[in-house]
């Protein structure tokens, strides 16, 4: 049973470009979460999605960031017009279909975004 | 608002000795508490969680954690440390009705041979 998959693992963008990060949850999981980890810090919640629905985006910056989890295909975290401060590791996690708040979340290996 | 504090940035322990990594939390209502471990350039791996019931929770790789409601703590412990336990450890809390995990800043554990 494959774990949570993220790609690319490393992404380099110049200021002003767009970054697209992809996440495929574990088989049988329909809840996806995105977290950001800045250097020397813990993970910060960004957004929680179920298939075709954004459930909680309270951690998402109001501008330039968006997320989706379509009926078919992976979840996408999109960052438009990237700035140097967006450089971080972005982690995706998933939890089972009947998701309860105390279910453990299973994390992917992360995408390390570097903005030049 | 929920929050987690890990008061030690780094913990050093000799191989074979017991280890403790500290965590305190703040949350409204009953907490759900988690420990994760992160190896370099890897994602987080789940170790254990507390939902309700017995205050001593046993998890993967011989780790355990003790929930203390009065002290709002959830310290991670292991009776005998291994060099392979060296990693970054994160404590996290989730309040009832919230799906957001709030993480501490992490504690770097170094087990010295």
């Amino acid at each position: 049973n494959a774990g949570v998959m993220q790609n690319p693992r490393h992404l380099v963008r110049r200021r002003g470009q767009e970054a697209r990060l992809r996440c495929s949850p574990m088989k049988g999981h329909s809840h996806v979460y995105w977290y950001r980890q800045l250097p020397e810090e813990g993970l910060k919640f960004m957004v929680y999605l179920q298939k075709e629905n954004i459930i909680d985006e309270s951690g998402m910056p109001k501008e330039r960031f968006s997320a989706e989890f379509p009926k078919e295909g992976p979840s996408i975290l999109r960052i438009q017009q990237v700035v140097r401060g967006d450089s971080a590791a972005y982690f995706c996690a998933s939890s089972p279909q009947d998701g309860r708040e105390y279910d453990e979340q299973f994390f992917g290996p992360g995408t390390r975004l570097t903005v030049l | 608002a929920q929050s987690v504090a890990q008061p030690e940035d780094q913990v050093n322990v000799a191989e074979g000795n017991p280890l403790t990594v500290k965590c305190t939390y703040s949350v409204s209502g009953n907490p759900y508490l988690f420990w994760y471990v992160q190896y370099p350039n890897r994602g987080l791996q789940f170790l254990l969680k507390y939902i309700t019931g017995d205050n001593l929770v046993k998890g993967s790789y011989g780790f355990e954690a003790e929930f203390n409601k009065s002290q709002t703590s959830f310290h991670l412990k292991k009776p005998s440390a291994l060099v392979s336990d060296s990693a970054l450890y994160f404590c996290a809390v989730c309040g009832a009705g919230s799906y957001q995990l709030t993480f501490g800043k992490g504690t770097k554990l170094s087990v010295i041979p």
Side-chain angles (χ1 to χ4, degrees), chain A:
Chain A
N1 187 8
V4 177
M5 299 176 67
Q6 290 187 250
N7 66 82
R9 293 291 305 276
H10 301 273
L11 182 61
V12 179
R13 285 288 178 266
R14 296 191 180 278
R15 281 178 297 169
Q17 291 184 322
E18 178 180 286
R20 282 187 178 233
L21 288 62
R22 285 175 289 277
C23 169
S24 296
M26 287 181 69
K27 186 177 181 180
H29 288 192
S30 60
H31 300 247
V32 167
Y33 314 80
W34 286 93
Y35 293 84
R36 177 166 62 177
Q37 184 180 32
L38 296 171
E40 308 300 324
E41 291 192 16
L43 280 71
K44 304 289 187 187
F45 169 82
M46 299 181 75
V47 62
Y48 163 40
L49 310 104
Q50 296 179 20
K51 287 282 188 181
E52 300 183 281
N53 284 306
I54 297 174
I55 307 303
D56 180 355
E57 58 181 346
S58 59
M60 288 275 273
K62 293 290 186 279
E63 298 177 350
R64 300 188 298 107
F65 285 72
S66 62
E68 63 177 8
F69 188 16
K71 186 176 181 180
E72 300 291 338
S75 175
I76 305 288
L77 179 66
R78 181 183 179 200
I79 311 173
Q80 296 178 290
Q81 300 175 325
V82 296
V83 301
R84 287 204 175 124
D86 296 333
S87 295
Y90 292 83
F91 290 95
C92 170
S94 71
S95 66
Q97 189 165 350
D98 55 346
R100 297 156 295 194
E101 61 267 51
Y102 50 79
D103 284 333
E104 56 266 35
Q105 296 176 18
F106 294 83
F107 283 79
T111 293
R112 280 156 182 80
L113 173 65
T114 301
V115 180
L116 301 177

Side-chain angles (χ1 to χ4, degrees), chain B:
Chain B
Q2 51 196 45
S3 65
V4 172
Q6 293 182 242
E8 302 154 317
D9 290 335
Q10 178 144 359
V11 169
N12 297 322
V13 63
E15 186 178 21
N17 281 3
L19 69 88
T20 299
V21 182
K22 295 180 180 177
C23 170
T24 58
Y25 67 91
S26 174
V27 69
S28 298
N30 293 324
Y32 303 125
L33 294 154
F34 303 81
W35 275 101
Y36 284 85
V37 59
Q38 185 180 32
Y39 295 98
N41 298 314
R42 303 282 296 276
L44 276 67
Q45 295 180 30
F46 170 77
L47 280 179
L48 51 79
K49 68 180 178 182
Y50 171 83
I51 302 173
T52 187
D54 194 349
N55 289 342
L56 186 64
V57 178
K58 294 189 182 297
S60 307
Y61 312 119
F63 284 93
E64 58 189 26
E66 187 167 12
F67 171 66
N68 187 317
K69 187 172 183 177
S70 63
Q71 297 186 4
T72 61
S73 67
F74 190 56
H75 301 330
L76 181 69
K77 300 181 180 184
K78 187 173 182 180
S80 178
L82 300 173
V83 173
S84 58
D85 292 331
S86 298
L88 191 56
Y89 289 81
F90 289 99
C91 180
V93 69
C94 185
S98 169
Y99 291 82
Q100 296 185 24
L101 282 177
T102 297
F103 286 86
K105 289 190 173 183
T107 299
K108 183 178 179 181
L109 173 67
S110 293
V111 180
I112 303 159

